[in-house]
Structures are given as C-alpha cells and as structure tokens.
Amino acid sequence: MRRENQSSVSEFLLLGLPIRPEQQAMFFALFLGMYLTTVLGNLLVILLIRLDSRLHTPMYFFLSHLAFTDVSFSSVTVPKMLMDMHAKYKSIPYEGCISQMYFFIFFTDLDSFLITSMAYDRYAAICHPLHYTTIMREELCALLVAISWILSCASSLSHTLLLTQLSFCADNAIPHFFCDLGALLKISCSGIFLNELVMFTVGVVVITLPFICILVSYGYIGATIMKGPSTKGICKALSTCGSHLSIVSLYYGAIFGQYLFPKLSNFIDKDIIVALMYTVVTPMLNPFIYSLRNRDMKEALGKLFEQKVNMRPENQSSTSEFLLLGLPIRPEQQAMFFTLFLGMYLTTVLGNLLIILLIRLDSRLHTPMYFFLSHLALTDVSFSSVTIPKMLINMHFQDQSIPYTGCVTQMYFFIFFTDLDNFLLTSMAYDRYVAICHPLHYTTIMREGVCILLVAVSWILSCASALSHTLLLAQLSFCADNAIPHFFCDLGVLLKLSCSDTSLNELVIFTAGVAVITIPLICILISYGHIGATILKVPSTRGICKALSTCGSHLSVVSLYYGTIIGLYFFPSSSSSSDKNIIASVMYTVVTPLLNPFIYSLRNRDMKGSLEKLLNRPIVLCQ
C-alpha cells in the first residue's frame, strides 16, 4: 500500500483556519454551536417527515435523504476542525486524510444528485400535475436515490484510488482545515495530469450536468408558470419551489465560487471562507429554509410542539401514572433487600467518586485511559442514580406509582447513560489498541483533542439515541393497563403496555441497537483482535503479561457489561418468566457499576499506587 509514500509521509499537517490564537475560543464555540444546530436541525427535519403522514410524499422523501446527507457531510470535516482548534499539533494520519477526502467528495456529490432529484420532482408536480402520482412513483424515488448513492460512490472512489498512486515528499502541510483534493494534489511530488483530467471529467458529471438539469427543470417550470391564468396560481407554484431554489442557490453558489473560479483571488483565505460556506453554513441553513419557508413543514412542527405542550391529553386522561411492580420478593424480605441495595448503591457512588478523585489528584493518572475512566465512573454514578433511588423509595414506602412524565424522564436518562457506557468502553478499547499496537505513536495519536472529541461524540450520539426513543414513545397511547412488571420504566415493557401501533418504535429500537450496542461491540472485538495478534508476535512471556495487564481491567468491565446486555436483549425469549429479565437488569444497573471501581482498583497497579499515596498523605502531614 504505497510503501514509498508511507516512508516519506505518514501524516499531514492541517494548517486550519487563519485565525489568531486569542480568537480560538470564540471560533471554537461558534462552530461547535453551528455544528450542533446542523445535526439537531436536520434530525428534526427527518423526525417531522417520519411522524407526519402529510409529509409522506416524494419531495419530502428526497428532503429526508438530503437532511441525512447534510449531517454526514458536516460530520466529515467539522469535528476534526474543532479538535484541531483545541489541539496544538494539527496532524492527521495518511489513511485518515484519504478517508476524510473520500467521504467529503462522496457526500458533496450525493448532495448534488439529491438536489437534482428534487428539481425533477418539482418539474413533475408543476408541469404535469395530473400525472404526478403516476410519474413520481415510490419505485422511481427509490431508484433515483439509489443511483445517486452509486454515482457518488463511484466518483469519490475514482478520485481516492488515483490519489493513492501519488507520492508525497517533504512538504506535508495542507493549507486548509480538511483534506481537500485540490490542496493534496498541489503538495504531491508526482505527475497529477491524470488526476486533474479525472477531476474535470467527474466535475462535469456530478456538478455541471446536475446543475444544467436543474436549470432545464426550472426553465420548464417557469414556462408553465407564465402560462398560468391567475396570480394566485403563480404564487402557489412559486411557493412550492422557494425552499428548493434557496438551497440550490446556496449550494451551487459556494461550489462554483470555490472550484470554477479559484483564481479570482491570490489569497488562500478566500478559498477557506467559501469552503466554510458549503461545509458548515449551508447544511446548517437547510433546516431553517425548509421550516421557515415551507408551510407543510411549519404545520408539522407546530403540530409536534402542540402535542408536547398539551402532553397528550387523551393519554393523560386514561393514564397519568404507572405502577412499578418492582422486584419479585416477598414482603418479609423487603427490609433485607432494602438494606442490601442501599449498601450497594452507596458503595457504587463512593467507589466511583473515589476513582474520579484519584485521577484528578494524581498527575501520573493524567493519561487518555484514565480520562475515559473518569467519565465512565461519572456515567456509572448517574446510571445507578436513575433507577436505584426510586426502587429503594418504592420498597421502603410501599408506593409503587410513578407519574407519566417521571416515567418518560427515567426512561430517557436510562437509555442515555446506557448508550454513553457503550461508547466510552469503545473509546477505551481504541485507546488500548493504540497503546499496544502503536506504542511509539501513542502520544501523537491519543492527543488531548482526540480524547475530548471522542467523549463529545459519545455524549451527542447518546443524546440523539435517547431522544429518538423518547419522542416516539410520546406519540403512543396507554389505556387501561398501567402496571409495569419491572423496578424501572423500561422501554420494552412500556411498548407492551401501549394500545397504539408500536412497529415504528420497534424498528428504531432495532436500528439504534445496532448503532449503539452492536457496532461498538464489534469495534471492541476488532480492537482486541489486533491487540491479540500484536501480543502473539511478542517473543517474551514478560512482554505478553505486561500487555495483558494493561487490558485486564477493561476486558473485565466489557465482559460484565456486554454479557448482561446481550443476555437480556438479544435472548429475551429463552425464559417465559419476566424474573430472568429483572435479574439481568439488576446485574447491569446495580452490580456492574458497583464492581467497576473494585476491578480498576484491585487489578490496576497505578490505581492501587494512587490509592496508597492518598491514604498515606495524612500520615506524612502528621509527621
């Protein structure tokens, strides 16, 4: 894989935005806010289209794909840019640079094809309204999206394969905030004639031709509108195209300004500003354009807010609270189990807080692994606090009720911290992989900015997952039966109690389960697969033991956590009784957070040394 290039250039330096150091914090906050607005705004567009049956039309089908593309498009460049603004060393590995360039071109092209499909949809709606439903069939819409994905993949793959044939010598500084293809070609020390030829040819196919198609579509639309007998008809026709025209103007205006007229200015700053326009600003503005300029979207948004304000009155009239049946224990055992779980909860809180304190006080523990561990400890405290205090209250006061809003809130935070645990364990596995498989580059790869970014992404993904389940649950009705055979508001149990159609909820549970449980588990297994292969290459038993000792604690936590999760959710039908599910839930909501501090303190030499240092500190002070 280009051995001669790897020996000369194994990484690139992204020079980033031309801003002064004292402005870094301000721009970091600005672009972080814009990125979060982009993600949440486009996810809201997707949610509205999915929930409102009036938006189940071809135009909004394409819009939902465009919104997903915008989220992915921004996520290719903005997180790395934010990380580099926070870090001192703005490097990106060769493989990472190539991957970023691939996905950047892919989503740029996909945006172009989707916008063209939306223009064709508007053409069919205005120029052939009587045949619209016949022309824009479901099969055609799916075919247009599939072709868009295939062509975008082919385009980005052609650029990527050609780029991997080039050599990069001494100069590895990219005067940009992401790996732009044009900037990479300029610093190559190979012949780039073929790359430039392919850039021109593919540019015609994926940018110029779609733009011509859009112009032709709106030419026909304009001609049809001018034939309209009434001003009202003209205004109505224009209103259906206003949002799409705004997006086309934003998107192609920035693209053409960047790539078709690059020599209008000799300063690189202008190119970066234009790139920011279509990588940051345009994806952020799209949701606002479609929510503020589109009547159907505004009505769907108003309907959603109205439902939240009214808090589902038809459901509240029948079910304003739920009954948590709790643990299957006899009344005479209540006091014993209350004492047991109270002791376990207090131990969990104190143990995890002690871990956070040790990591904070001991400078030897200021490493990426313990940075992730401190966040895992905080998550375990919060995770236990979501369910156990309510369970203890119910056991002590014999009050099994929980308000509807309290139940939904408990479910949200339970899912949130469950998912956050998954992502943090995955980040820790990646840290161990880098430490063992790439020890010489460990400090370069696991920089402070990378660690902060991994934690931030974990929080954002966990929030999005929990929010999607909660918003969908809020649409369901709950009738006569309000008894939950569990000690907390579990999503699966709530769906069984609902008298509404829960097929969409179950689909999202499966999809999100793959995203937040299965994929992280696969990543952990892959990491430890590489670790195992590296360990077996070590000639000495001492080296093997040392490598295994750095992973022992994390492996123990992963085994505990995923063992109970998989046992509960992937094999729920292995027992007809709900008692087994409750026991498994107790394992990962009570026992696992309790054991984590002991695992990391008893199996970890650094933590034991830090604990002994803390315990001996008062003695030293007394002397």
Side-chain angles (χ1 to χ4, degrees):
M1 192 66 188
R2 302 172 61 258
R3 187 183 303 273
E4 72 281 2
N5 297 348
Q6 290 296 331
S7 61
S8 55
V9 174
S10 61
E11 64 179 13
F12 294 97
L13 297 178
L14 293 172
L15 301 185
L17 301 176
I19 54 179
R20 294 189 296 271
E22 62 271 17
Q23 297 176 327
Q24 292 279 4
M26 180 184 69
F27 277 96
F28 179 86
L30 173 64
F31 287 119
L32 178 60
M34 295 174 73
Y35 176 64
L36 293 177
T37 303
T38 299
V39 173
L40 295 176
N42 282 286
L43 289 178
L44 179 61
V45 167
I46 296 172
L47 180 65
L48 290 175
I49 293 171
R50 186 62 189 87
L51 293 179
D52 198 324
S53 58
R54 295 175 301 173
L55 303 182
H56 293 174
T57 62
M59 181 65 178
Y60 295 107
F61 172 75
F62 294 128
L63 177 59
S64 63
H65 282 271
L66 183 66
F68 173 76
T69 303
D70 282 340
V71 172
S72 305
F73 186 38
S74 293
S75 300
V76 170
T77 58
V78 181
K80 175 61 179 171
M81 179 183 70
L82 294 173
M83 181 180 68
D84 286 344
M85 291 174 69
H86 195 77
K88 295 180 180 179
Y89 190 61
K90 303 176 182 180
S91 68
I92 182 171
Y94 173 84
E95 295 81 3
C97 189
I98 298 296
S99 299
Q100 188 185 55
M101 187 207 72
Y102 171 86
F103 285 108
F104 178 82
I105 297 173
F106 175 79
F107 289 116
T108 301
D109 297 347
L110 188 55
D111 250 355
S112 180
F113 289 124
L114 289 174
I115 290 173
T116 308
S117 300
M118 294 168 78
Y120 177 71
D121 173 83
R122 291 301 84 198
Y123 157 75
I126 295 174
C127 300
H128 304 283
L130 299 180
H131 301 283
Y132 178 72
T133 54
T134 307
I135 298 173
M136 297 304 297
R137 302 184 308 278
E138 184 179 352
E139 295 82 3
L140 179 62
C141 296
L143 179 63
L144 288 173
V145 170
I147 291 174
S148 299
W149 278 75
I150 292 170
L151 290 178
S152 301
C153 181
S155 167
S156 55
L157 194 60
S158 63
H159 290 301
T160 306
L161 291 177
L162 284 174
L163 186 71
T164 57
Q165 307 305 313
L166 302 181
S167 299
F168 296 90
C169 305
D171 187 11
N172 69 336
I174 301 175
H176 222 305
F177 62 90
F178 68 95
C179 291
D180 180 60
L181 177 59
L184 284 169
L185 294 181
K186 288 179 182 178
I187 63 174
S188 172
C189 51
S190 302
I192 59 172
F193 173 77
L194 180 59
N195 300 75
E196 291 176 334
L197 178 64
V198 171
M199 276 183 68
F200 176 79
T201 306
V202 174
V204 170
V205 175
V206 302
I207 295 180
T208 310
L209 286 182
F211 184 64
I212 292 172
C213 292
I214 292 173
L215 292 180
V216 171
S217 297
Y218 275 105
Y220 280 106
I221 289 172
T224 303
I225 289 174
M226 296 306 295
K227 295 177 184 178
S230 65
T231 307
K232 182 178 180 182
I234 294 175
C235 294
K236 183 178 180 181
L238 287 174
S239 67
T240 64
C241 303
S243 301
H244 182 254
L245 271 174
S246 301
I247 288 179
V248 168
S249 302
L250 273 171
Y251 180 81
Y252 281 101
I255 290 287
F256 290 150
Q258 171 76 0
Y259 289 107
L260 297 191
F261 308 103
K263 296 183 180 179
L264 288 177
S265 171
N266 294 323
F267 298 100
I268 193 66
D269 291 7
K270 181 182 177 183
D271 292 343
I272 293 178
I273 291 171
V274 175
L276 283 173
M277 276 296 297
Y278 69 87
T279 58
V280 182
V281 179
T282 302
M284 181 189 71
L285 291 179
N286 288 357
F288 293 99
I289 291 172
Y290 269 96
S291 60
L292 298 177
R293 299 197 55 168
N294 189 292
R295 185 179 62 186
D296 293 335
M297 289 294 290
K298 285 193 285 186
E299 290 177 356
L301 187 61
K303 182 180 177 182
L304 181 65
F305 278 117
E306 183 180 356
Q307 287 178 344
K308 299 306 164 216
V309 173
N310 294 335
M311 279 305 293
R312 303 159 58 254
E314 71 280 6
N315 297 345
Q316 291 294 331
S317 61
S318 56
T319 300
S320 60
E321 64 179 15
F322 293 97
L323 297 178
L324 293 172
L325 301 185
L327 300 175
I329 53 179
R330 294 189 294 273
E332 61 272 16
Q333 297 176 327
Q334 292 278 3
M336 179 184 69
F337 276 97
F338 176 85
T339 305
L340 174 64
F341 286 117
L342 177 60
M344 294 174 73
Y345 175 63
L346 293 177
T347 305
T348 299
V349 173
L350 295 175
N352 282 286
L353 290 180
L354 178 61
I355 282 183
I356 297 172
L357 179 65
L358 291 175
I359 294 172
R360 182 68 184 84
L361 293 179
D362 197 330
S363 58
R364 294 176 301 173
L365 303 182
H366 293 176
T367 62
M369 183 63 180
Y370 294 107
F371 173 76
F372 294 128
L373 178 58
S374 63
H375 281 271
L376 183 67
L378 177 63
T379 302
D380 282 339
V381 172
S382 307
F383 186 39
S384 297
S385 301
V386 170
T387 57
I388 301 179
K390 178 60 181 173
M391 179 182 70
L392 294 174
I393 290 172
N394 291 353
M395 291 173 67
H396 187 72
F397 294 103
Q398 299 298 312
D399 180 16
Q400 298 177 323
S401 66
I402 182 173
Y404 170 82
T405 53
C407 189
V408 172
T409 303
Q410 187 187 55
M411 185 207 73
Y412 170 84
F413 284 107
F414 178 81
I415 297 173
F416 174 79
F417 289 116
T418 300
D419 296 347
L420 188 55
D421 252 352
N422 286 322
F423 292 122
L424 289 175
L425 288 173
T426 308
S427 300
M428 295 169 78
Y430 176 70
D431 174 82
R432 292 299 84 198
Y433 156 75
V434 175
I436 295 174
C437 300
H438 304 283
L440 299 179
H441 300 284
Y442 179 74
T443 55
T444 305
I445 297 174
M446 296 305 297
R447 304 184 305 275
E448 182 182 0
V450 175
C451 298
I452 293 174
L453 180 64
L454 287 173
V455 171
V457 170
S458 299
W459 278 74
I460 292 170
L461 292 178
S462 301
C463 180
S465 170
L467 194 61
S468 64
H469 291 300
T470 306
L471 291 177
L472 287 174
L473 184 73
Q475 309 302 316
L476 302 181
S477 299
F478 297 91
C479 305
D481 188 8
N482 67 338
I484 300 175
H486 221 304
F487 63 90
F488 68 95
C489 291
D490 181 61
L491 177 59
V493 179
L494 285 170
L495 294 183
K496 291 179 182 178
L497 294 181
S498 174
C499 49
S500 303
D501 181 19
T502 61
S503 57
L504 177 59
N505 302 73
E506 291 170 350
L507 176 63
V508 172
I509 286 177
F510 175 79
T511 307
V514 171
V516 302
I517 296 178
T518 310
I519 292 179
L521 178 59
I522 292 172
C523 292
I524 292 173
L525 293 177
I526 292 173
S527 297
Y528 276 105
H530 284 288
I531 289 171
T534 303
I535 288 174
L536 292 176
K537 295 176 183 177
V538 178
S540 65
T541 307
R542 182 181 177 184
I544 295 175
C545 294
K546 184 178 179 181
L548 288 173
S549 68
T550 64
C551 302
S553 301
H554 181 254
L555 268 176
S556 302
V557 173
V558 168
S559 302
L560 267 174
Y561 184 80
Y562 280 101
T564 51
I565 290 285
I566 292 172
L568 178 60
Y569 287 108
F570 284 72
F571 306 102
S573 58
S574 58
S575 176
S576 58
S577 174
S578 63
D579 291 359
K580 182 180 178 180
N581 291 343
I582 293 177
I583 293 171
S585 298
V586 170
M587 276 295 296
Y588 73 87
T589 58
V590 183
V591 179
T592 302
L594 168 73
L595 293 179
N596 287 357
F598 292 99
I599 291 172
Y600 273 99
S601 60
L602 297 177
R603 299 196 56 166
N604 189 295
R605 185 177 60 187
D606 293 334
M607 290 295 292
K608 285 192 287 186
S610 181
L611 182 60
E612 291 173 0
K613 182 179 176 181
L614 180 65
L615 293 175
N616 292 332
R617 183 177 296 180
I619 299 174
V620 174
L621 290 174
C622 291
Q623 292 175 352

